[in-house]
Amino acid sequence: MEHSKSSRKVTVEYTDPSGIYAVISEDLQKRLPLRNLYWNSATRPLRSISSLHIELVQAGSSTSSSDPSERVSSVALDGAAENAEARDILRDNRPGSGVGVKKERRHQIPGVRQTPYLKIFFLRCSDVESYRVTYRKQIREWIKGNTPPTQSTASVNTQEFHDAFEWLIVHVILPDDGRSISRASATSKSEVRSSIGGSSAVIEKLRADFNGSSKTAVDRVSLIQITRSPQNGQNQASSDGWEDFIAKTKSLILSSFDLRVTQYEEDIKEREAQRSIPGWNFNTFFVLKEGLARGFESVGLVEDALNGYRELAVGLNSIIEGRDDKEQHREHFKHFTDDLSATLKSALQSEESHNLGDRQTITINSVTQDRHARENRHILGANILDADRKPFRELILANEISVFDFQCYLFAREASLLLRLANATDPSDDDESVNEAPTDVALNVASSESQNLFLLAEVCRRSIEFFSAAGRMMRDDLRSSVHPLSKGHAPGNPTMLSVFERPIEDMVASWTFSACQRILDATNVPSLQAQLQPLLRSLKSVVEVYPDSNNSSDPLSREELPRRTSSLPVSTRASSKPLSPDKIPSITSLDAMRLLPPASSQTGTQELAAQQAELVILKRRITASIGHRSNDAGIKRASLAGPLSLSGSDLEDISLDDTPSKHGRPDESSGNSHGSAVNGIQGRELNQSLRSESSFHQAYEKLTMMALALNVLGGRRRSAESLTTDLAAIRYRSQDYISAASYFRQLSSFYHNNDWTRLEVPMLDIYAKCLKHLNRWQDFCRIGLQILAKTTSRQSLLHTPTDLRLQHRPLDVDHYLQEVINTSSSLERPVSTPLHLHFEDVHLDPYIRHLDEEDGFRMSLELRNIMSAALEAQDIRVKLVSLEEEQRRDIWMTSPGPDLLQTGLSVVRLQCTVMCPAWYRIERIEIRSANIVFTHDATSNASFDGLASSDGILQLNSTRVLVWPDEKALEARPSLCKSISLGKPRSIEILISSGRNKVSHGKLSVRACSAGLRLHTAETDVVSGNCLILQKAQAGNVEFGALDAQSKTIFRVPYGIESDLRKIKVKVEVSYTVEGQGYQYNCIGELPIQLPLSVNVQDSFQERSLFSNFKIDTANSMPLRIGGYTMHSTKAFQVALPPLGSAPLTIFARQPLSLVAKIRQSRPETANAQTSLSPDRMLMLRIKYACVEHEISTAVEDVLTEALIKSEFTDLSRLLVTVLGKVLRSTLSSQDLETIGLLGEIQMSSFEQHLWQPVLNGLHPDRRDKVAKWLANWQAENSATALPQAIDSRNLLELMVPFEIPEIPIVVTGRLETFNCGGGPGEGRFAAMDHSLLAELSLSYSRHWSKSTDVTSENDALNITYEVQASPDVWLIGGQRKGHFSAKVQIGFIDNVAT
């Protein structure tokens, strides 16, 4: 039977009677394989063949022979064979051998034999005479014996076209052959005729004798001339001759191939049409159609060959599955496989006879079982890709093949073709005999960059599908070979079959295991290994500690084949030792592996890794099933089922040193390391894994880590996570708690995110036990809390279906809770857990209630404990955060003491001694028991996973709480200083009203909330009140002494600003102690620092008086009321101001106040003579004013306060009054303020327009309606409120405007007096038009407003120039209009002016 490797090449037979092939073999090998062939068939599209490998076989030798002296193969790489080797091959050849070979008889079934496509006759002849006498007859006999059907003139059977071939005569000329043709390329007849010499004549004779005479005849004669190089004297061939030879070889091979394909297609079509005829044999049809597929494969058309095998596989499956007439084809297949039957018998012989119960006589029906047992040198499944391990085609033709072997053969052929398409190295090449020619070793060797990884992944995928179906077929095959012959049992009796089940299952597992490893070897590529190795190093796999592994460098751990297995005994000491923790992946390494970004890799690496992972997982599953069935190593299912079954009650420890009789089974733990069957198990790796529990865990973990790494490379993260579960289970069983805990830590989030509660709870239980063994109490408490959350009754209802229950022992929740609480007491840091995992129906009463006779308020918190045990809480706190985003304020409410939260609903009283009026929302709830803190964070975006009512949580998060102080509580109110002096530092005044509290001591903290604001608290002083400042050295804090009840104290804090601000914000905190109890009041004040009025001055000088006109106006369009103004005289100046009157004066934006002040220098008798020289020329204008807006708010607030005192809502006075003032200031426009300022009356809006509803929502529903009704009545009764005539002292402000008397060097005064005007004394003066008037201009000057000394000498005189100007349209001025004089002394100057 033909070798399968030969189907990859085209066989070319040569006859070499002259022994010339050894000379030209080196040059021939350089030109092989043939490149760039194109096959054009009439029934198929054009096919391109990139490379065609040929196998040169000497005539007279069998094409199936493995003797290298009889064949030489072409290689994929040029120059793979050496010339010396070719010469050695032909050294024993004799001239003339093979010329007269008898024609071999053709097989009656086409496709069985592999025949040559081309036959070549090598001729060496130097003269015509020798050719005529000897070689012509020899060539004619050769042609006669090898004439193909295409050249025969006789009528032949068309079946001969299955072996169609062509022939070619090659004349080789050597330098020693005498005269040679002048040109080596003389291949045409014209060139030969023009040549001179014997060789030229020989070529002419050859073409004349053996080429056809017609124009379309094929030229079957080629010439190769060897010349001697003049440089080194070596022989060299002409390139033109070789090109002609290669071209003719391509053409003749394709011609033969086309004839064969045409004949095969016709026969296949004919046989296919006969399928329904009785007697039709699928096996014969298979061999015929496979012959076509092998033909395609031989010329490099692998895709066409693969399609052919796929069609055959479909046809075989249709017969096996019964879609065709199954009874008709039953006789064409054997019911069982001989070698499998022999292996089963060998496995059964290792069992003791007492295991068979009634000592029945059992036979294995196999006619050749002994022969196959001796020949079964390979491990089952290890040679799955070797299509030549059996004479499959002979078995098929003889109808002696089993269905299992048939399917295995088809799979091997398809996988080999896929591997060839992928340009991968055929793994069976490694199994070739050493007799294979060296030129065949590198047939399909290719670099990893040229390999198609997608096709390799397809090989893995098809292998997985095939192994699943082949396993079932193998079981049926083995069961069919078993026939009990004892009395009382019929064939196929279940009682007898059960005896063989374990050996059968072990054999199937061994076959599948080895087959998987073979596929992994075949699809292993360097590019994948380059990425896999770093991952395995990061995992610190157990592969690193296997000293007995002969393939430690290969992470795929190839199955050891017999030809590579050492006969030395294998030590198990290293593998039986438990692994040290440093050999197990740490938390960091495994996390880094999962998060490892995909490296730049070859296309298809991810797909190949994913499919290889499936094969490794299949190997792991087989190892687990064998370990479960095995009792020799004490291996339990709990070691393989993950953490779900790892409870202590499920495990049974079995000593490995017990005698065989102790457990009723023989001691077979030693096993055969070479791979012999033990109970049907074959393979060194499987047998080693069953030596001990430690060895099994190592093997199982090794496969798991490999699958884990491949899944990561394949992008299957979830599969990688699930594989980590098995690693954790193995490490826990080995008491390696460090490694097990590192795995469990990563798995906890994986199970939680996938909502696998049934698997998560037992896994967490084992994780907690690992942490307990490691004394990692912080993590133990955290995991224990997760277990408590998962085992609550609420969670069981939501996550456990009614027909399912957890497959693990019940947990003692009470014990867990108490243990976690007790353990946490010794922790340095608290352990937090979400509140909603343990409590439900959490509700906070949103309405505050003020404490009795003390400052502060209280609220109620309701919650339901869904744990099965009570919880003693030492502290329960609720954090409230203000709704104002700009200035975040938060307060904590706490429980007075320890609370016992029983299972079910509980109510907790919370109180707070911190008062900060604002709207709040719930941000955080904390329940502390020992060092365990149950927390709820409203700002967290974490989902609740259905463990609590999400609606209830959302309602809790949306709860709004209004906090306001009691009307008798302490209050702090910041404001600007009432007296402001321009040019001096400003201050903030903080009014503290103690209310009912008798404060023993306290601390005032003032913080700037505006950028650029600097508070100088070290300069704080008390403006009003009997309070002592104790300490103010600390920045921002001022400690003060006792405050009496119902007292008011004003602190003044200077400040400065570094930028242009219109408003400043300050945060005031007053911490105070009353009768040993601490309290706190917080507030934030927004203070406008821009002055509401502006003052401008304009000066007018005279000789002895200065008239200053002050213009007082509003700065922000808001009306002001001026309550008074003053300017005090000094020693240097006397000031006179007009009186204001008894009523305040209202100024508006377009009606400013003009105030004229007359300022005179003091007389000499009342002032020093040097007064004018005094540098103090400053005067101060004091203006008392009030903003109409503030007066309106004060007036309305007073009316509301008075009404609330008389009502039942006195406790709401500070809330409602404050809200009313804010609403008025925010709703009144400047136009409204001007109207109120003019009319002196305040018109109140209606209740609906006043927007009371947001405030009322913060009150308890029992009082809300009553308060709303009372406010509506109050507003109706006080729809108009009069603005007080006098300014309230609380709103009266003072602005001090300093100004300086200007310095004027000289003041010149001019007077113009007319003389000829009509009118007497007491009558008006008049003048006639068009008449001139005589006027006198009197000029005087004074230097009293200057600081310099009066002029006393002529040298100090000032030259003054004057000019008289008038409108030219009215006056016509005559006389001297301009002049000048010298100001020497204090005298006047008179000049006449005519007008």
Side-chain angles (χ1 to χ4, degrees):
M1 186 60 60
E2 307 299 333
H3 196 281
S4 66
K5 299 298 177 296
S6 61
S7 62
R8 301 181 183 181
K9 316 163 195 175
V10 171
T11 303
V12 175
E13 182 183 286
Y14 69 92
T15 300
D16 186 19
S18 304
I20 198 63
Y21 178 78
V23 180
I24 64 173
S25 61
E26 180 179 2
D27 292 331
L28 178 60
Q29 295 298 328
K30 293 179 181 180
R31 290 164 173 81
L32 297 180
L34 303 179
R35 305 285 183 180
N36 301 325
L37 289 83
Y38 299 95
W39 175 54
N40 190 5
S41 174
T43 58
R44 296 174 181 268
L46 178 65
R47 293 288 194 273
S48 175
I49 304 174
S50 59
S51 61
L52 179 62
H53 300 271
I54 66 174
E55 182 181 20
L56 292 172
V57 180
Q58 190 171 7
S61 63
S62 175
T63 57
S64 61
S65 175
S66 59
D67 189 355
S69 65
E70 297 178 357
R71 62 176 181 175
V72 178
S73 301
S74 64
V75 295
L77 301 179
D78 294 341
E82 298 293 338
N83 187 35
E85 296 176 356
R87 294 181 183 275
D88 292 339
I89 293 174
L90 298 178
R91 183 170 299 159
D92 298 333
N93 290 346
R94 295 179 177 87
S97 61
V99 177
V101 177
K102 183 180 179 180
K103 185 175 181 180
E104 187 177 358
R105 182 171 176 233
R106 187 184 65 82
H107 199 283
Q108 63 179 354
I109 301 179
V112 175
R113 294 175 58 255
Q114 182 170 348
T115 57
Y117 283 68
L118 177 65
K119 294 185 178 182
I120 301 177
F121 187 95
F122 287 105
L123 172 65
R124 179 185 179 185
C125 182
S126 59
D127 57 275
V128 178
E129 188 63 26
S130 299
Y131 168 74
R132 290 177 180 174
V133 174
T134 306
Y135 292 108
R136 181 188 302 183
K137 180 180 179 181
Q138 199 174 28
I139 293 175
R140 285 179 177 175
E141 292 179 357
W142 176 79
I143 294 176
K144 183 178 180 181
N146 296 279
T147 301
T150 54
Q151 301 297 321
S152 176
T153 57
S155 176
V156 297
N157 191 347
T158 56
Q159 294 293 329
E160 296 292 340
F161 287 110
H162 289 292
D163 298 328
F165 65 91
E166 294 285 351
W167 55 273
L168 179 66
I169 301 174
V170 180
H171 184 203
V172 180
I173 301 177
L174 297 179
D176 300 333
D177 290 344
R179 294 174 297 172
S180 63
I181 58 176
S182 59
R183 296 179 59 188
S185 59
T187 57
S188 62
K189 295 181 179 180
S190 58
E191 291 174 329
V192 173
R193 293 191 188 97
S194 61
S195 301
I196 302 175
S199 297
S200 175
V202 170
I203 291 296
E204 291 184 2
K205 292 294 183 181
L206 285 172
R207 288 178 173 157
D209 294 339
F210 301 106
N211 279 344
S213 59
S214 64
K215 296 182 178 179
T216 58
V218 179
D219 187 2
R220 302 179 184 275
V221 178
S222 180
L223 172 65
I224 299 177
Q225 181 177 357
I226 306 298
T227 60
R228 193 181 305 277
S229 174
Q231 289 82 7
N232 50 22
Q234 295 182 357
N235 296 338
Q236 61 182 11
S238 172
S239 60
D240 293 341
W242 279 114
E243 290 178 359
D244 178 71
F245 169 73
I246 296 298
K248 291 179 179 178
T249 302
K250 292 180 182 181
S251 176
L252 295 175
I253 290 177
L254 290 180
S255 176
S256 302
F257 174 72
D258 186 68
L259 289 174
R260 294 189 181 195
V261 170
T262 303
Q263 185 61 50
Y264 269 111
E265 288 179 342
E266 292 177 357
D267 291 348
I268 291 171
K269 184 177 180 181
E270 180 182 357
R271 297 292 178 89
E272 184 73 21
Q274 299 172 356
R275 179 183 290 267
S276 59
I277 299 176
W280 186 83
N281 191 338
F282 175 79
N283 295 345
T284 305
F285 175 77
F286 175 88
V287 174
L288 174 62
K289 193 167 184 177
E290 189 192 17
L292 177 61
R294 284 176 171 265
F296 283 127
E297 182 185 6
S298 64
V299 297
L301 298 178
V302 185
E303 293 89 347
D304 297 84
L306 185 61
N307 291 333
Y309 277 106
R310 289 174 179 172
E311 294 173 359
L312 290 172
V314 172
L316 179 62
N317 290 332
S318 65
I319 293 176
I320 296 174
E321 296 173 2
R323 291 194 295 267
D324 291 347
D325 189 356
K326 190 172 183 179
E327 296 297 332
Q328 176 184 352
H329 304 286
R330 182 186 299 271
E331 59 184 8
H332 298 156
F333 301 100
K334 199 171 183 180
H335 297 292
F336 58 90
T337 306
D338 292 336
D339 54 347
L340 293 181
S341 178
T343 305
L344 179 59
K345 178 181 178 182
S346 176
L348 290 174
Q349 289 176 353
S350 65
E351 294 283 352
E352 297 293 338
S353 61
H354 67 269
N355 290 334
L356 297 180
D358 54 358
R359 300 177 179 270
Q360 302 171 78
T361 302
I362 300 176
T363 61
I364 306 298
N365 291 329
S366 174
V367 295
T368 57
Q369 55 184 358
D370 295 333
R371 178 174 59 87
H372 285 291
R374 292 190 301 269
E375 294 178 356
N376 185 19
R377 299 186 303 270
H378 294 283
I379 301 172
L380 289 176
N383 50 5
I384 184 64
L385 295 180
D386 186 6
D388 298 315
R389 65 183 182 272
K390 291 183 182 181
F392 286 108
R393 304 188 75 194
E394 291 181 356
L395 294 175
I396 294 172
L397 286 175
N399 295 334
E400 290 293 328
I401 191 170
S402 65
V403 174
F404 176 74
D405 271 351
F406 211 145
Q407 292 282 21
C408 290
Y409 175 71
L410 271 176
F411 171 77
R413 295 297 297 134
E414 290 186 41
S416 300
L417 293 176
L418 284 173
L419 290 173
R420 182 176 178 183
L421 278 177
N423 203 18
T425 303
D426 191 341
S428 59
D429 285 347
D430 297 336
D431 301 332
E432 289 282 346
S433 173
V434 293
N435 295 330
E436 179 72 27
T439 55
D440 290 341
V441 175
L443 179 60
N444 283 324
V445 177
S447 63
S448 61
E449 290 77 7
S450 63
Q451 294 177 350
N452 190 331
L453 302 191
F454 288 105
L455 290 177
L456 294 180
E458 178 67 14
V459 172
C460 295
R461 187 189 64 80
R462 294 199 179 193
S463 299
I464 296 172
E465 295 177 355
F466 172 72
F467 294 158
S468 177
R472 295 190 296 269
M473 289 186 293
M474 187 175 179
R475 290 185 186 92
D476 297 338
D477 190 296
L478 291 172
R479 290 166 182 167
S480 299
S481 65
V482 177
H483 294 279
L485 302 179
S486 64
K487 181 180 179 180
H489 291 283
N493 187 289
T495 304
M496 289 305 303
L497 288 178
S498 61
V499 178
F500 301 92
E501 281 305 314
R502 179 179 173 181
I504 290 176
E505 291 297 329
D506 289 345
M507 288 181 61
V508 173
S510 300
W511 180 88
T512 308
F513 189 94
S514 301
C516 288
Q517 185 58 51
R518 193 57 172 164
I519 298 300
L520 289 173
D521 293 339
T523 57
N524 189 19
V525 293
S527 61
L528 179 61
Q529 292 302 314
Q531 298 186 70
L532 192 62
Q533 287 288 355
L535 295 183
L536 293 176
R537 284 194 296 268
S538 66
L539 280 172
K540 299 181 180 179
S541 175
V542 292
V543 177
E544 300 176 3
V545 294
Y546 282 166
D548 57 341
S549 176
N550 295 332
N551 199 18
S552 59
S553 61
D554 185 4
L556 288 176
S557 181
R558 297 181 178 178
E559 176 74 26
E560 299 297 333
L561 300 180
R563 62 182 181 82
R564 297 178 179 177
T565 302
S566 173
S567 60
L568 297 177
V570 181
S571 175
T572 61
R573 293 180 180 180
S575 60
S576 62
K577 294 181 180 180
L579 294 178
S580 58
D582 60 344
K583 296 301 180 181
I584 303 300
S586 62
I587 295 176
T588 305
S589 64
L590 194 55
D591 285 342
M593 185 208 67
R594 275 203 196 88
L595 301 176
L596 189 69
S600 56
S601 59
Q602 186 178 352
T603 303
T605 301
Q606 185 174 11
E607 289 74 10
L608 177 59
Q611 295 300 326
Q612 284 191 353
E614 295 295 333
L615 287 171
V616 176
I617 291 175
L618 181 57
K619 289 180 59 180
R620 192 181 71 113
R621 190 180 302 118
I622 294 170
T623 305
S625 64
I626 293 178
H628 173 53
R629 293 192 300 270
S630 175
N631 294 324
D632 298 331
I635 300 169
K636 294 296 180 181
R637 184 179 179 84
S639 303
L640 310 172
L644 298 181
S645 303
L646 291 181
S647 57
S649 60
D650 296 336
L651 304 180
E652 176 185 358
D653 294 331
I654 299 177
S655 175
L656 301 178
D657 299 327
D658 291 340
T659 59
S661 61
K662 182 176 181 179
H663 296 286
R665 59 179 180 269
D667 183 11
E668 299 174 356
S669 60
S670 60
N672 188 348
S673 63
H674 189 67
S676 62
V678 179
N679 292 336
I681 298 176
Q682 291 190 357
R684 178 183 180 184
E685 186 173 351
L686 284 177
N687 279 281
Q688 282 184 345
S689 65
L690 297 178
R691 291 178 178 177
S692 64
E693 185 176 5
S694 176
S695 299
F696 177 81
H697 288 161
Q698 289 180 357
Y700 189 78
E701 186 176 15
K702 174 183 176 182
L703 293 173
T704 304
M705 287 185 177
M706 178 59 62
L708 176 62
L710 287 171
N711 272 313
V712 171
L713 288 180
R716 298 182 176 181
R717 299 300 175 92
R718 287 199 174 187
S719 299
E721 295 284 356
S722 62
L723 288 171
T724 312
T725 306
D726 297 333
L727 293 179
I730 295 174
R731 301 322 306 161
Y732 178 78
R733 284 281 300 162
S734 303
Q735 298 183 356
D736 183 4
Y737 301 116
I738 296 178
S739 302
S742 68
Y743 290 130
F744 282 128
R745 182 194 65 81
Q746 303 162 70
L747 290 171
S748 58
S749 60
F750 171 70
Y751 283 106
H752 176 73
N753 295 336
N754 290 278
D755 201 14
W756 293 349
T757 306
R758 295 179 62 251
L759 304 177
E760 183 181 7
V761 171
M763 184 272 298
L764 291 177
D765 186 21
I766 305 303
Y767 185 20
K769 292 179 181 179
C770 294
L771 297 174
K772 193 174 181 179
H773 284 290
L774 297 173
N775 296 329
R776 292 165 53 180
W777 303 115
Q778 188 87 17
D779 293 333
F780 171 76
C781 293
R782 179 176 56 84
I783 299 303
L785 291 172
Q786 292 186 23
I787 295 174
L788 291 173
K790 300 295 181 180
T791 53
T792 57
S793 58
R794 174 66 174 168
Q795 178 191 353
S796 299
L797 292 176
L798 290 176
H799 288 275
T800 303
T802 57
D803 56 343
L804 292 177
R805 293 295 181 264
L806 296 178
Q807 301 298 323
H808 65 286
R809 60 182 179 86
L811 297 177
D812 188 355
V813 180
D814 296 346
H815 170 73
Y816 245 119
L817 178 60
Q818 192 61 35
E819 186 177 10
V820 168
I821 297 299
N822 296 338
T823 303
S824 66
S825 302
S826 60
L827 299 180
E828 297 180 357
R829 303 187 309 274
V831 179
S832 299
T833 181
L835 178 68
H836 67 271
L837 300 180
H838 310 273
F839 296 90
E840 287 183 354
D841 301 332
V842 182
H843 174 70
L844 180 67
D845 186 7
Y847 310 110
I848 68 170
R849 292 174 176 82
H850 293 102
L851 301 178
D852 299 334
E853 300 304 327
E854 61 177 322
D855 296 352
F857 62 94
R858 66 177 183 272
M859 300 179 71
S860 298
L861 177 66
E862 296 181 1
L863 69 166
R864 185 183 303 276
N865 182 5
I866 58 177
M867 294 182 290
S868 60
L871 176 68
E872 183 180 358
Q874 285 78 32
D875 185 21
I876 300 178
R877 303 198 304 166
V878 176
K879 183 180 181 180
L880 302 178
V881 179
S882 63
L883 297 179
E884 299 177 4
E885 297 295 338
E886 296 181 359
Q887 299 297 332
R888 178 187 174 93
R889 291 174 285 180
D890 55 79
I891 56 179
W892 284 92
M893 302 181 62
T894 60
S895 59
D899 296 276
L900 185 62
L901 303 178
Q902 297 287 352
T903 301
L905 187 63
S906 301
V907 180
V908 181
R909 303 296 179 183
L910 304 175
Q911 67 180 25
C912 180
T913 58
V914 177
M915 176 56 62
C916 185
W919 276 98
Y920 289 88
R921 60 176 174 84
I922 299 176
E923 183 182 72
R924 188 176 182 84
I925 300 177
E926 291 184 359
I927 300 177
R928 181 183 295 270
S929 178
N931 246 347
I932 302 298
V933 183
F934 302 89
T935 62
H936 166 68
D937 192 353
T939 60
S940 176
N941 295 326
S943 61
F944 306 109
D945 303 320
L947 299 182
S949 174
S950 58
D951 295 337
I953 293 296
L954 294 176
Q955 183 179 1
L956 178 65
N957 295 340
S958 61
T959 301
R960 301 293 180 261
V961 180
L962 177 61
V963 177
W964 76 93
D966 185 39
E967 55 97 17
K968 297 181 181 180
L970 181 140
E971 180 185 14
R973 183 179 299 175
S975 64
L976 290 176
C977 185
K978 294 184 178 298
S979 179
I980 299 175
S981 177
L982 298 180
K984 292 185 179 181
R986 300 186 184 183
S987 303
I988 297 175
E989 291 184 353
I990 301 174
L991 172 63
I992 299 179
S993 301
S994 61
R996 60 170 169 242
N997 302 293
K998 188 176 181 179
V999 180
S1000 60
H1001 63 277
K1003 182 175 68 174
L1004 173 64
S1005 299
V1006 187
R1007 300 288 186 268
C1009 299
S1010 300
L1013 175 62
R1014 299 292 180 266
L1015 299 174
H1016 308 296
T1017 54
E1019 302 176 10
T1020 303
D1021 57 354
V1022 178
V1023 178
S1024 175
N1026 298 323
C1027 181
L1028 298 178
I1029 296 178
L1030 304 179
Q1031 177 69 28
K1032 57 181 180 180
Q1034 186 178 0
N1037 298 322
V1038 178
E1039 298 182 6
F1040 56 87
L1043 295 177
D1044 296 333
Q1046 305 300 330
S1047 64
K1048 294 184 179 181
T1049 304
I1050 299 177
F1051 293 88
R1052 182 168 56 190
V1053 181
Y1055 73 90
I1057 55 176
E1058 299 177 354
S1059 58
D1060 187 13
L1061 299 176
R1062 294 179 178 271
K1063 295 181 181 181
I1064 60 174
K1065 286 186 179 181
V1066 292
K1067 181 179 182 181
V1068 178
E1069 296 181 1
V1070 181
S1071 303
Y1072 56 100
T1073 304
V1074 179
E1075 297 180 356
Q1077 177 66 38
Y1079 300 90
Q1080 185 177 343
Y1081 182 90
N1082 301 338
C1083 67
I1084 294 179
E1086 186 175 9
L1087 309 176
I1089 62 175
Q1090 186 179 15
L1091 293 176
L1093 78 165
S1094 63
V1095 179
N1096 297 317
V1097 61
Q1098 183 178 3
D1099 297 327
S1100 177
F1101 286 91
Q1102 292 188 3
E1103 293 182 8
R1104 296 294 180 180
S1105 301
L1106 170 62
F1107 295 91
S1108 295
N1109 185 7
F1110 294 91
K1111 183 179 179 181
I1112 303 175
D1113 198 359
T1114 61
N1116 51 11
S1117 301
M1118 298 297 179
L1120 303 174
R1121 298 179 73 187
I1122 306 298
Y1125 47 81
T1126 59
M1127 184 184 296
H1128 299 287
S1129 301
T1130 64
K1131 295 180 179 180
F1133 300 97
Q1134 296 179 357
V1135 180
L1137 291 175
L1140 179 62
S1142 58
L1145 180 62
T1146 304
I1147 61 175
F1148 302 95
R1150 288 169 292 183
Q1151 294 181 0
L1153 172 63
S1154 294
L1155 177 63
V1156 179
K1158 182 179 180 181
I1159 304 174
R1160 295 176 59 86
Q1161 291 183 347
S1162 300
R1163 296 181 180 181
E1165 58 271 15
T1166 61
N1168 192 302
Q1170 297 298 326
T1171 299
S1172 61
L1173 302 178
S1174 174
D1176 187 10
R1177 303 171 64 86
M1178 298 297 296
L1179 295 177
M1180 184 72 69
L1181 175 63
R1182 298 174 182 268
I1183 304 173
K1184 295 183 178 181
Y1185 66 98
C1187 297
V1188 175
E1189 180 183 12
H1190 297 167
E1191 290 192 276
I1192 294 172
S1193 299
T1194 302
V1196 177
E1197 290 174 1
D1198 290 344
V1199 175
L1200 179 59
T1201 302
E1202 184 179 355
L1204 287 172
I1205 293 174
K1206 298 177 182 180
S1207 68
E1208 58 178 324
F1209 307 113
T1210 306
D1211 58 325
L1212 301 177
S1213 59
R1214 289 178 64 172
L1215 171 63
L1216 298 178
V1217 170
T1218 303
V1219 172
L1220 178 61
K1222 291 182 179 179
V1223 171
L1224 288 175
R1225 285 190 290 270
S1226 62
T1227 56
L1228 291 177
S1229 63
S1230 59
Q1231 185 177 359
D1232 296 334
L1233 295 176
E1234 289 182 0
T1235 302
I1236 295 174
L1238 290 173
L1239 301 178
E1241 186 178 68
I1242 306 171
Q1243 295 292 334
M1244 296 291 295
S1245 60
S1246 63
F1247 175 79
E1248 292 76 10
Q1249 297 175 346
H1250 206 279
L1251 304 178
W1252 286 106
Q1253 195 60 42
V1255 181
L1256 297 178
N1257 290 336
L1259 302 179
H1260 197 275
D1262 296 342
R1263 305 185 67 188
R1264 186 182 304 163
D1265 296 338
K1266 296 180 181 180
V1267 175
K1269 184 178 180 180
W1270 186 89
L1271 286 174
N1273 294 334
W1274 175 82
Q1275 286 194 231
E1277 295 173 359
N1278 299 273
S1279 59
T1281 303
L1283 188 66
Q1285 293 293 329
I1287 299 177
D1288 194 323
S1289 59
R1290 293 171 294 179
N1291 299 320
L1292 189 60
L1293 304 175
E1294 183 181 22
L1295 177 63
M1296 294 178 288
V1297 182
F1299 67 95
E1300 183 181 8
I1301 302 298
E1303 179 185 356
I1304 304 298
I1306 186 171
V1307 177
V1308 180
T1309 304
R1311 295 180 180 85
L1312 189 63
E1313 183 179 1
T1314 58
F1315 294 103
N1316 54 345
C1317 293
E1323 299 178 358
R1325 298 174 65 81
F1326 59 89
M1329 294 184 63
D1330 297 331
H1331 289 77
S1332 62
L1333 295 177
L1334 180 62
E1336 184 180 66
L1337 176 62
S1338 301
L1339 299 176
S1340 62
Y1341 59 89
S1342 173
R1343 303 185 67 179
H1344 294 294
W1345 300 102
S1346 175
K1347 295 181 181 180
S1348 60
T1349 309
D1350 293 343
V1351 179
T1352 57
S1353 62
E1354 184 176 358
N1355 295 332
D1356 296 330
L1358 297 176
N1359 293 324
I1360 299 174
T1361 302
Y1362 65 91
E1363 181 180 2
V1364 179
Q1365 295 179 351
S1367 175
D1369 296 335
V1370 180
W1371 298 97
L1372 180 61
I1373 302 176
Q1376 185 178 359
R1377 300 173 57 185
K1378 296 181 179 180
H1380 65 89
F1381 62 91
S1382 178
K1384 297 180 180 180
V1385 296
Q1386 295 289 345
I1387 59 173
F1389 178 77
I1390 300 176
D1391 195 2
N1392 295 326
V1393 179
T1395 60

